[in-house]
Amino acid sequence: MKNIFVLAVLCLLNTTLLAQTPARFTLQGQAVDTLSAPLPSSTVMLLSPKDSSLVNYGRADEKGVFTFKNLKSGEYILKISYVGYLPFNQLVKPTGEAIINLGELQMKPITKELFEVVVRTAKAPLTIRGDTIEYNASSFKVPPGSTVEDLLRKLPGVQVDQDGSIRAQGQEVRKVTVDGKNFFGSDPKLATKNLQAEAIQKVQVYNDKTEQAKLTGVDDGKKEKTVNLELKEEFKKGGFGKATVAAGPASNELPLRAEGKASYNKFNAKNQFSLVGLGNNTNQQGLSRDDYQDFRGSNAYNSNQNADFGFSGGNFFYFSDSGDEGLGIPVSGRQGVGFSNNAAGGANYNYDTKEKKLSGSYYYNQTRLELDAERRRNSTLPQNEYTTDENSNQVNFNGNHRLSLRYEKQIDTLNTLVFINNSRYGFGNAQLLRNQLLTRSDGATTNNESTNRSDQRQFATSNSLIYRHKMKKKGRSFAASATYEINTNDANLLLDSENSYTGPIRPQDQQPNIHQDQRNNTVRTEYKASLQYIEPIAKRYFWETFYNFSLRYDEVDRDVFDRGDRTYVRNDVLSLYYKNNYVYNRLGSSLRYSHKGLNVSAGLAGQRFTLNGEFAPDQMAPTFRSINRVFTTAIPNVNLNYDLKKNRYLYGGYSVDVRIPTSRDLQPVINNSNPLFINRGNENLLPQLGHSVNVGFNYFNPGSFINVYIGTNATRYVNQIVYSQNTDPQSLVTVIQPENRSGGQNLGAYTGFGFPLKKTKATLDLNFSTNQGRSPVLINGDLNQTSTQGYNGGARLSLTPVEWLTFYGNANFGVNNTQFSISPNRNQTFINNNFSGELTLKLPAGLYVNTNLNYRVSRNASLNFDQRIPLWNASVYHILGKAKRAEIRLTGIDMLNRNVSVSLNQGVNYTQSESISTLARYFTLGFTYNMRGVQAKMRKDGFF
Amino acid sequence: MKNLLLALGLLLSLAATAQDAKTEGVVTYVRKERWLKITNRLTFLSQEQKDRMSQTFKNWAENDKGIKMKMSFSPTESLYTYNSDEPEEGGYSWRKSDLFLYRNFAKERKIDVIEMLGKTYIVDDSLHVPVWKIGNQIKEVAGYICMSAETQDTIRNYKVTAWFAQDIPVPAGPERLNGLPGLILELDINDGDVLIEAVSVQFRPLTPADLKMPKQKGKKIDDAAYNKLIRDYIAEQMTAHQNPYWEIRY
């Protein structure tokens, strides 16, 4: 009531104050229906005739009577609205009189059909233009696959006859247009019978001039009923593609360099289809991240993928199996080392609706990689010292067919089902020629000359089914998953190794020559199941419980034969038949508190590993050695995420990461493919536990563009899987074997600070990190602790002063100290500094220049190692045409011709330098065509 | 549009007949932001990058269930803020930037508490009403027949379509919009970039708690300073090739 009083006072005030002004007038009227019955409390508005803007408004009284007092002289549109009636519009012109009384203003009711069906049921907006009414057809639900004709039948006021002819508001429709344009001639049925209802956004029924009138420009007064169908935006289909080819002359004694890449995408609201293909001999081994996103479309990144439930906030258990290529499509932006020829191609299809999402893809890639390496190694044994000079040439070929399938079904609002399949069939062969010369301090030498020829076929598939159920109670949910994985590898190796000796080496320390056929057949199968239940036990408190089961079955059948001149004898030392079950059970529970950006959880899980295996030289062997181990452990978990005011973020936690030994580490296989470095698995390995604590803080000020982060983490290992080494002092054969060792630890800290020197023009980012580690390992029977301390600092300057110039500069400094407890004389300091700059210039006439220089400095004073490698790349490009769809580009890679891959590393009893020849200077001239246009990238992109 | 404000107060020889008590209560809205559509407005992205984002993240964007907002309203006052601090569906709780938009139609004042750009701002100014163009469309929102009205936001440079109830004579509305002959039940920003839709309207007498502003420290500014802040920030971010709409309310 208060407001009405205020209004009344204001009205009074105004009336008295402004009463003298003659240019003002009072407007009166009464809103009634077609039977002159008053429409009480209807909304009355005065609009400016110029742009319909609202000037004034009020409410009529219970008799529908309204009065606007003190109106400025001028024209107004009077608009009255009342629920269930067509809004009333009338132009009001001043008459010069002080009071204009419009009398009864009749409002037409909206037909009951329109009101109930269109507005209330279909919830479609009605657009009123004079007497014609338009509405949104997409609000009317028709079964998928229906035609426009089926849709029209549902619309009030529209009839469709048996023969398909259409009548709207009683009149026959003579013309159907689509987006205002004629659709396949003049027969209206063609459009309505052929177009899908789903594609229609709006149906407009209106009276159009006849074709005759349009042609002559003379309005004959006749009107034709016309239906216009407006297509949905997303149904305007899209397609785009791009292709790049580039080639350059032979250089550095290499034949010509060439690369090519092409992709094509076609999509509409529900479907995405894409093709991609690439080939090159410039070490580009796969799709870039952008290419991958274009290829996989809506399936590039998926949520709802994880079938192994665990503590929320990370910390999953995982089996990591090194050596195999993953099941997913490889994505890399990096240039590989050596010389590689690469080819890849694939097709992807996604179908997405709210209820159903289906995606399938096929991808093939192959790489032929040639590596020429030189290694020099100085080793120290308690008894003596020796050097190893190694030269090797290796040609590897690898091909992979990958298939992936994903199906997600939203059964209803509470139930979701996801099926994920990823499979790979890989094949490859390799040829390695290697020469190793071992020179002892007394001058005696071992020269090993070996050839490895291998081929392999692998098949791997992983299938997961995940079911999620939300309960009626908000926050309560249940999930279950099942996974089946199989991985087979069938490999053959032809090994030929010959040794020659000089100097005083006893015959018993000389290694026999090896001529072997090795056939390996391994199968790894895994069955997994997981359950999860979340219960909201109180407001803001959630109790989460999970259970995981996994059974991994490994089987290795390895047959090794010694090839003699006329003999072919099975080697019982190296041959092996091994099978093993690794059962894992975990039950865990945690309590989480979530409120206002604070999420804290604490939990505990118990897990049990049971290892049952047996092995013998052969399946037929009379006796098997058996392995039976049980390992039980409790793992606590604490997790904190705190989203604080003003873009500050605090996080931390304590977790125990469990790493299960890989199949390769577990199998008691003796791998002699390098007869001087023998790897042997360890069937008694236990899972590695890493107790980790971390805490960190982030801050970002979007107003001043300042960001700060700081954090620290520490890990202590129990049963860490480390690789012990044992070198026979006489034969110099080293045996490497994984084993469990406790006591290793790692401590790290990092911080960063970024701020604008001048907003939007210059930004400086600084960062610093340090790492202190310690790991124990047995070296020739002695327990050695390797301690490392690393310090890294960096600065990055981004200069974007004008639109036509950008510069990014980086400087990174690194110092690494290493100490070995059993040989303090080998303690050392490595320095790795890296400086780089990238400049992009936009020149007149659509010409662009991009150039970058990277300067790497590696130094080790005690080893007299000092290497400085500058790599300079540049390209000049021009964007062609008005539509800017094509680009021509001249590129120079490593223009100083200095690229080599050289590295130096040092272990407890050795120092090794390695150099691999790698693709260096080359030039290419390239051409790109992109249907969506080529844009020169001046600035580096962040995430938008 | 000063005269509109004036008009609001004056005239209305609005028969003081007691309207049915449909003028006081709480509206619950769902606010959905379509960030992919918003990204498409970024001037510095190429068509290829926009397409890539749209094609890659369309399912993620569709799964967005929006965030619930609420507005307590009476013929003289309104307060618009988040519906709840509790996490939805048992998920993680993310902190929401403070937002309290208070309107007093009788005194023609407003107080907005808005946390953005790393600060809390208190916009304390008289009630400015945008230029509303009344349309010729009606539709139902949350059970009420609404008319359409349009206005242009000249700072963010987009069109806002409001749907106001024909039979709830309260000039309140969600976000920073108000001043229509009926309660705004739906806002459509730039053809669906952001959609704020009423899901329920509950009529009941308001208690002081419903309109209580939290005690907030912040930087006091007026509408002009607020608009300048937003305008400058958008220009700055576009120059820096960053999406400005992560940090300011769209």
Side-chain angles (χ1 to χ4, degrees):
Chain A
M1 280 322 269
K2 208 168 56 183
N3 64 320
I4 289 172
F5 173 73
V6 173
L7 286 179
V9 171
L10 275 169
C11 287
L12 269 169
L13 264 171
N14 277 296
T15 346
T16 44
L17 280 172
L18 304 166
Q20 304 96 310
T21 326
R24 307 251 165 188
F25 70 98
T26 297
L27 182 68
Q28 293 177 340
Q30 188 191 14
V32 294
D33 68 7
T34 41
L35 301 169
S36 290
L39 297 173
S41 307
S42 42
T43 309
V44 194
M45 290 166 270
L46 286 182
L47 315 179
S48 149
K50 196 175 66 213
D51 57 359
S52 302
S53 59
L54 182 66
V55 180
N56 213 331
Y57 66 81
R59 291 242 157 200
D61 63 12
E62 76 276 16
K63 295 197 181 77
V65 175
F66 62 89
T67 310
F68 286 97
K69 284 182 180 166
N70 278 309
L71 291 177
K72 244 196 242 167
S73 179
E75 293 188 355
Y76 295 94
I77 292 173
L78 173 72
K79 194 179 190 85
I80 310 174
S81 82
Y82 192 82
V83 174
Y85 286 76
L86 290 176
F88 175 90
N89 291 292
Q90 184 177 322
L91 186 70
V92 179
K93 288 183 180 175
T95 56
E97 289 166 50
I99 294 175
I100 300 177
N101 193 339
L102 299 171
E104 284 189 359
L105 302 166
Q106 286 199 352
M107 292 180 70
K108 287 183 191 166
I110 298 172
T111 57
K112 207 178 163 200
E113 199 180 23
L114 272 179
F115 199 69
E116 290 305 318
V117 178
V118 181
V119 180
R120 292 283 187 202
T121 312
K123 306 219 179 295
L126 283 189
T127 302
I128 295 115
R129 296 187 211 283
D131 285 350
T132 60
I133 294 174
E134 225 175 67
Y135 43 83
N136 207 331
S138 59
S139 314
F140 288 85
K141 294 277 168 286
V142 284
S146 302
T147 62
V148 171
E149 195 180 288
D150 300 324
L151 174 69
L152 288 177
R153 272 184 226 278
K154 288 210 147 196
L155 305 185
V158 178
Q159 294 99 47
V160 182
D161 297 342
Q162 283 285 301
D163 67 341
S165 56
I166 309 156
R167 300 177 78 80
Q169 282 128 39
Q171 262 183 290
E172 187 173 353
V173 173
R174 300 228 174 255
K175 198 163 74 181
V176 174
T177 55
V178 175
D179 279 340
K181 294 186 193 100
N182 281 341
F183 184 86
F184 293 131
S186 58
D187 185 356
K189 283 171 268 181
L190 264 179
T192 54
K193 281 191 186 294
N194 289 314
L195 272 175
Q196 292 287 302
E198 301 173 289
I200 305 299
Q201 163 84 18
K202 223 182 244 180
V203 177
Q204 293 163 316
V205 181
Y206 61 99
N207 297 317
D208 196 16
K209 288 178 194 168
T210 58
E211 287 299 314
Q212 179 77 18
K214 275 186 186 170
L215 203 65
T216 58
V218 181
D219 194 345
D220 53 9
K222 286 185 200 161
K223 296 282 195 262
E224 274 184 2
K225 269 276 180 246
T226 301
V227 169
N228 180 43
L229 304 170
E230 213 175 277
L231 291 182
K232 277 184 196 163
E233 195 61 40
E234 58 255 45
F235 268 83
K236 292 170 184 168
K237 297 169 202 160
F240 49 76
K242 67 173 177 181
T244 299
V245 285
S251 63
N252 282 343
E253 293 166 22
L254 291 170
L256 94 161
R257 300 290 102 183
E259 52 193 34
K261 186 150 75 177
S263 65
Y264 182 72
N265 291 52
K266 205 167 163 54
F267 64 90
N268 59 27
K270 286 181 189 162
N271 301 283
Q272 294 178 329
F273 175 72
S274 63
L275 292 169
V276 70
L278 66 91
N280 65 68
N281 59 3
T282 54
N283 288 11
Q284 314 283 338
Q285 292 196 349
L287 297 178
S288 70
R289 195 149 285 281
D290 283 348
D291 294 333
Y292 172 75
Q293 251 176 269
D294 285 344
F295 178 55
R296 295 307 305 275
S298 65
N299 220 52
Y301 310 110
N302 267 308
S303 56
N304 232 344
Q305 290 291 87
N306 182 26
D308 303 328
F309 312 133
F311 289 115
S312 61
N315 183 37
F316 308 107
F317 81 97
Y318 55 94
F319 293 126
S320 87
D321 248 74
S322 54
D324 290 343
E325 267 204 63
L327 290 172
I329 292 170
V331 175
S332 85
R334 283 190 316 140
Q335 287 225 334
V337 293
F339 301 92
S340 69
N341 295 351
N342 308 284
N348 185 78
Y349 173 69
N350 301 333
Y351 172 81
D352 298 304
T353 63
K354 218 175 163 62
E355 297 78 29
K356 240 186 259 177
K357 293 182 174 51
L358 179 72
S359 167
S361 80
Y362 166 76
Y363 186 77
Y364 173 74
N365 72 322
Q366 67 170 50
T367 291
R368 181 191 178 275
L369 173 67
E370 187 167 354
L371 286 173
D372 280 304
E374 268 184 46
R375 297 185 184 90
R376 190 179 167 84
R377 188 173 170 118
N378 297 309
S379 308
T380 308
L381 296 176
Q383 301 84 352
N384 57 0
E385 291 185 5
Y386 65 99
T387 61
T388 311
D389 287 288
E390 180 186 328
N391 286 294
S392 70
N393 167 276
Q394 191 172 353
V395 179
N396 297 342
F397 174 85
N398 257 301
N400 291 287
H401 297 274
R402 283 180 170 86
L403 270 178
S404 82
L405 190 71
R406 185 180 191 278
Y407 178 69
E408 180 174 333
K409 186 160 171 65
Q410 196 89 45
I411 302 166
D412 51 48
T413 51
L414 300 177
N415 298 290
T416 315
L417 197 65
V418 183
F419 172 74
I420 305 158
N421 163 276
N422 285 297
S423 305
R424 179 177 69 91
Y425 174 72
F427 53 95
N429 57 63
Q431 175 161 323
L432 169 70
L433 306 170
R434 182 177 47 214
N435 182 273
Q436 297 175 97
L437 178 66
L438 277 58
T439 311
R440 293 158 179 82
S441 45
D442 63 0
T445 62
T446 304
N447 189 37
N448 171 271
E449 192 87 50
S450 60
T451 311
N452 295 9
R453 287 184 197 85
S454 63
D455 61 90
Q456 60 174 346
R457 284 148 304 282
Q458 297 167 340
F459 173 72
T461 179
S462 168
N463 302 277
S464 294
L465 194 64
I466 307 168
Y467 168 70
R468 288 178 192 276
H469 175 67
K470 280 187 217 163
M471 312 269 186
K472 286 262 155 50
K473 184 174 175 187
K474 202 168 153 183
R476 183 186 288 172
S477 72
F478 167 78
S481 76
T483 301
Y484 168 68
E485 288 177 6
I486 183 161
N487 207 309
T488 66
N489 189 347
D490 176 10
N492 295 312
L493 172 68
L494 277 163
L495 178 62
D496 291 282
S497 156
E498 294 193 355
N499 301 315
S500 56
Y501 299 89
T502 64
I505 295 172
R506 296 178 303 173
Q508 64 264 42
D509 293 326
Q510 299 188 359
Q511 297 292 307
N513 294 339
I514 302 173
H515 300 283
Q516 283 176 347
D517 281 9
Q518 303 189 348
R519 295 173 201 160
N520 286 294
N521 233 317
T522 64
V523 179
R524 186 175 82 235
T525 338
E526 193 170 342
Y527 303 89
K528 292 198 278 188
S530 285
L531 298 171
Q532 185 187 47
Y533 180 73
I534 301 176
E535 173 71 28
I537 52 169
K539 206 175 170 185
R540 304 171 191 172
Y541 286 93
F542 299 91
W543 179 38
E544 306 182 344
T545 306
F546 57 85
Y547 169 70
N548 310 110
F549 166 82
S550 153
L551 164 66
R552 187 175 86 185
Y553 172 73
D554 287 290
E555 188 178 351
V556 179
D557 184 7
R558 176 172 160 90
D559 295 310
V560 179
F561 297 91
D562 288 318
R563 259 185 286 119
D565 280 342
R566 272 187 210 90
T567 55
Y568 195 71
V569 187
R570 191 183 153 84
N571 182 321
D572 277 340
V573 177
L574 294 177
S575 295
L576 178 81
Y577 179 76
Y578 163 89
K579 56 186 181 177
N580 160 34
N581 277 327
Y582 211 127
V583 179
Y584 168 96
N585 279 287
R586 181 171 76 154
L587 180 64
S589 195
S590 68
L591 187 66
R592 176 161 58 89
Y593 171 82
S594 289
H595 183 59
K596 277 200 165 182
L598 172 65
N599 296 280
V600 198
S601 68
L604 186 73
Q607 52 190 14
R608 186 184 167 94
F609 300 89
T610 315
L611 174 64
N612 289 304
E614 52 179 16
F615 62 94
D618 187 7
Q619 293 91 310
M620 305 305 191
T623 53
F624 275 73
R625 276 181 61 191
S626 65
I627 318 153
N628 293 297
R629 299 207 68 169
V630 178
F631 180 72
T632 309
T633 181
I635 57 168
N637 185 283
V638 177
N639 198 291
L640 164 83
N641 278 288
Y642 196 13
D643 200 349
L644 288 139
K645 210 170 170 169
K646 296 182 183 169
N647 300 301
R648 290 170 304 162
Y649 191 68
L650 180 73
Y651 54 91
Y654 165 60
S655 64
V656 182
D657 297 309
V658 181
R659 198 185 119 197
I660 292 170
T662 61
S663 298
R664 181 176 298 181
D665 281 347
L666 266 180
Q667 296 155 3
V669 165
I670 298 165
N671 180 343
N672 65 338
S673 60
N674 182 347
L676 296 177
F677 286 90
I678 290 170
N679 288 285
R680 191 192 181 284
N682 180 351
E683 64 279 9
N684 288 316
L685 273 187
L686 291 176
Q688 163 185 314
L689 300 180
H691 295 261
S692 297
V693 178
N694 75 307
V695 59
F697 175 79
N698 285 346
Y699 166 71
F700 172 61
N701 186 329
S704 61
F705 291 88
I706 291 173
N707 70 77
V708 178
Y709 61 87
I710 184 160
T712 177
N713 53 60
T715 305
R716 199 177 166 82
Y717 295 102
V718 176
N719 292 329
Q720 185 177 6
I721 298 171
V722 294
Y723 296 86
S724 69
Q725 279 185 32
N726 203 359
T727 308
D728 184 294
Q730 303 308 321
S731 66
L732 303 184
V733 172
T734 302
V735 178
I736 297 161
Q737 189 171 26
E739 55 170 22
N740 291 112
R741 224 153 263 280
S742 296
Q745 61 184 43
N746 200 46
L747 188 71
Y750 53 91
T751 182
F753 178 50
F755 59 99
L757 296 167
K758 188 164 176 8
K759 256 193 193 179
T760 76
K761 305 232 183 281
T763 307
L764 187 64
D765 291 284
L766 303 170
N767 64 74
F768 176 77
S769 68
T770 174
N771 220 50
Q772 318 275 325
R774 194 174 76 186
S775 73
V777 69
L778 272 186
I779 303 291
N780 297 323
D782 292 329
L783 184 64
N784 171 61
Q785 294 275 5
T786 305
S787 305
T788 55
Q789 300 88 41
Y791 307 92
N792 285 287
R796 176 188 160 90
L797 176 69
S798 310
L799 285 180
T800 47
V802 281
E803 197 217 329
W804 53 270
L805 184 153
T806 58
F807 175 80
Y808 296 92
N810 275 298
N812 290 295
F813 306 89
V815 179
N816 264 289
N817 297 323
T818 313
Q819 296 96 35
F820 304 101
S821 65
I822 56 168
S823 48
N825 60 319
R826 302 186 71 86
N827 294 355
Q828 61 195 304
T829 300
F830 272 99
I831 292 178
N832 286 297
N833 297 338
N834 200 72
F835 306 92
S836 67
E838 180 173 0
L839 177 75
T840 309
L841 280 176
K842 182 186 180 185
L843 303 176
L847 210 60
Y848 294 85
V849 176
N850 172 281
T851 176
N852 63 69
L853 180 70
N854 190 78
Y855 186 60
R856 195 171 71 227
V857 179
S858 311
R859 283 191 296 146
N860 185 327
S862 54
L863 299 171
N864 240 344
F865 182 77
D866 188 345
Q867 186 197 52
R868 289 144 200 267
I869 298 179
L871 291 179
W872 183 33
N873 303 332
S875 60
V876 180
Y877 53 103
H878 178 58
I879 295 176
L880 302 164
K882 233 185 195 164
K884 297 191 171 171
R885 290 206 177 116
E887 177 198 273
I888 186 155
R889 182 187 287 255
L890 178 66
T891 307
I893 301 289
D894 184 21
M895 297 204 290
L896 305 173
N897 210 15
R898 295 284 301 275
N899 196 16
V900 271
S901 168
V902 175
S903 62
L904 183 70
N905 65 72
Q906 179 155 358
V908 59
N909 61 349
Y910 71 90
T911 308
Q912 177 177 284
S913 66
E914 178 188 69
S915 111
I916 300 173
S917 29
T918 287
L919 186 59
R921 175 166 61 201
Y922 67 92
F923 294 91
T924 58
L925 183 65
F927 179 78
T928 295
Y929 182 80
N930 187 336
M931 282 166 65
R932 289 172 297 181
V934 184
Q935 197 185 48
K937 269 287 150 200
M938 297 293 294
R939 284 179 187 250
K940 292 201 171 165
D941 288 331
F943 183 75
F944 306 110
Chain B
M1 257 353 316
K2 252 184 301 176
N3 53 339
L4 193 136
L5 275 169
L6 201 75
L8 229 165
L10 56 76
L11 86 50
L12 295 231
S13 37
L14 198 188
T17 50
Q19 300 268 338
D20 31 353
K22 281 187 160 189
T23 54
E24 206 168 315
V26 179
V27 201
T28 312
Y29 298 94
V30 170
R31 181 190 153 103
K32 274 187 200 167
E33 215 165 289
R34 292 198 193 135
W35 55 276
L36 278 177
K37 262 196 101 207
I38 297 172
T39 322
N40 269 283
R41 290 190 65 203
L42 302 180
T43 48
F44 51 86
L45 290 184
S46 69
Q47 191 54 45
E48 185 175 358
Q49 287 174 302
K50 289 176 185 176
D51 287 347
R52 183 173 295 136
M53 290 193 81
S54 307
Q55 294 296 307
T56 307
F57 295 106
K58 62 172 195 160
N59 288 344
W60 293 77
E62 267 174 32
N63 281 337
D64 184 11
K65 293 198 171 63
I67 185 162
K68 275 192 181 161
M69 307 296 297
K70 70 173 174 202
M71 183 170 70
S72 312
F73 65 93
S74 76
T76 52
E77 290 176 281
S78 74
L79 176 66
Y80 177 75
T81 185
Y82 294 103
N83 186 50
S84 157
D85 282 324
E86 307 306 328
E88 301 278 324
E89 310 215 343
Y92 263 55
S93 159
W94 302 111
R95 189 176 174 278
K96 296 156 189 144
S97 300
D98 287 336
L99 183 87
F100 300 93
L101 309 178
Y102 171 77
R103 301 280 175 277
N104 190 318
F105 308 110
K107 293 181 185 156
E108 289 179 27
R109 294 297 298 178
K110 69 160 166 241
I111 301 169
D112 292 346
V113 175
I114 303 172
E115 185 191 344
M116 60 174 194
L117 309 180
K119 268 201 189 107
T120 301
Y121 289 95
I122 299 176
V123 188
D124 190 342
D125 205 334
S126 57
L127 201 55
H128 297 130
V129 174
V131 181
W132 285 112
K133 292 182 183 177
I134 307 295
N136 277 313
Q137 285 186 297
I138 59 168
K139 76 162 176 176
E140 192 203 270
V141 182
Y144 294 87
I145 302 300
C146 295
M147 285 191 84
S148 70
E150 251 180 56
T151 189
Q152 195 70 26
D153 184 321
T154 50
I155 288 148
R156 293 167 174 85
N157 197 19
Y158 54 55
K159 183 183 83 180
V160 179
T161 309
W163 295 86
F164 62 96
Q166 286 182 333
D167 50 0
I168 310 175
V170 175
E175 302 295 318
R176 304 185 82 236
L177 290 155
N178 52 273
L180 281 166
L183 184 67
I184 301 174
L185 292 181
E186 183 179 321
L187 277 183
D188 178 340
I189 300 177
N190 204 29
D191 291 322
D193 285 3
V194 174
L195 202 68
I196 299 137
E197 215 181 336
V199 285
S200 75
V201 185
Q202 187 200 352
F203 292 101
R204 62 168 170 82
L206 293 185
T207 61
D210 287 323
L211 292 167
K212 200 181 165 206
M213 286 287 274
K215 286 206 176 69
Q216 284 279 0
K217 277 185 201 157
K219 192 179 173 189
K220 277 206 174 183
I221 54 171
D222 60 5
D223 265 347
Y226 171 82
N227 288 342
K228 184 177 167 3
L229 205 65
I230 300 282
R231 196 194 304 269
D232 290 352
Y233 183 71
I234 291 173
E236 214 169 71
Q237 288 287 84
M238 289 293 188
T239 319
H241 288 203
Q242 302 276 345
N243 185 346
Y245 302 110
W246 290 126
E247 295 291 340
I248 56 171
R249 205 166 172 87
Y250 190 76

